[in-house]
């Protein structure tokens, strides 16, 4: 899914968000996916037994990003990706709703996510449509990012 997401973005003219190299061929990418599935809470969306989306929840932002942890307990969406062959079916929205429910179930009130803020803000708008409010902006090198938060308690 991650490799096909890069192809999909590139076909739309977006080479800034995830670059042009397939995700699986980037240094450290396979170790990152392994960490996501062993150290975090991964959730997979399926359609008739076929994986069509994935979400990874953590207890805070990536230490590699210039984002401070919240001053209260939080859950943090570290990865959200869907199979673009199933675009428009609400897979990302369903995974985010599940993340909100898991956050509530854990007795935590704050759910946050960060995303690429370039490209006219389309990704930021997606998270806003799904109940998140933009908080702070950041730069990771030249990569513009936006942190968004949602109160679930």
């Amino acid at each position: 899914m991650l490799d096909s997401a890069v192809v999909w973005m590139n076909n739309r003219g977006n080479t800034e968000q995830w670059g042009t190299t397939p995700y699986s061929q980037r240094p450290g990418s396979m170790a990152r996916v392994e960490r996501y599935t062993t150290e975090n809470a991964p959730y997979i969306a399926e359609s008739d037994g076929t994986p069509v989306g994935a979400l990874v929840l953590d207890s805070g932002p990536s230490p590699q990003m210039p984002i401070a942890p919240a001053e209260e307990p939080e859950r943090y969406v570290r990865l959200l990706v869907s199979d673009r062959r199933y675009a428009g079916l609400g897979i990302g929205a369903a995974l985010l709703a599940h993340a909100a429910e898991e956050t509530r179930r854990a007795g935590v009130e704050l759910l946050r996510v960060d995303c690429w803020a370039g490209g006219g803000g389309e990704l930021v708008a997606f998270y806003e449509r799904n109940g998140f409010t933009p908080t702070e902006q950041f730069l990771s090198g030249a990569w513009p990012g936006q942190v968004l938060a949602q109160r679930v308690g």
Side-chain angles (χ1 to χ4, degrees):
M1 269 187 262
L2 295 168
D3 282 350
S4 66
V6 172
V7 171
W8 177 79
M9 285 183 236
N10 290 178
N11 287 342
R12 295 181 70 215
N14 176 352
T15 58
E16 295 85 23
Q17 184 176 351
W18 284 8
T20 57
T21 302
Y23 190 86
S24 62
Q25 295 179 18
R26 294 182 195 166
S29 64
M30 300 313 286
R32 183 176 303 115
V33 169
E34 184 174 336
R35 278 193 316 277
Y36 282 164
T37 59
T38 59
E39 298 175 11
N40 304 111
Y43 300 95
I44 306 296
E46 294 182 350
S47 176
D48 296 325
T50 300
V52 295
L55 178 133
V56 174
L57 272 181
D58 199 353
S59 59
S62 168
Q64 284 81 35
M65 297 300 275
I67 302 166
E71 296 181 2
E72 64 181 279
E74 69 177 315
R75 291 296 180 268
Y76 207 96
V77 176
R78 293 282 294 275
L79 172 73
L80 176 64
V81 64
S82 62
D83 187 323
R84 300 317 305 163
R85 293 175 296 177
Y86 297 86
L89 298 180
I91 294 164
L95 284 166
L96 288 172
H98 184 74
E101 181 55 35
E102 288 297 317
T103 300
R104 250 189 308 285
R105 192 173 302 158
V108 176
E109 295 183 4
L110 179 63
L111 176 62
R112 292 197 307 159
V113 64
D114 65 77
C115 70
W116 184 59
E122 291 176 20
L123 192 51
V124 173
F126 165 78
Y127 285 109
E128 288 178 308
R129 286 191 306 274
N130 283 280
F132 287 84
T133 301
T135 56
E136 68 262 16
Q137 295 180 332
F138 66 93
L139 281 176
S140 180
W143 193 87
Q146 176 71 57
V147 178
L148 299 100
Q150 181 180 108
R151 289 278 168 196
V152 300

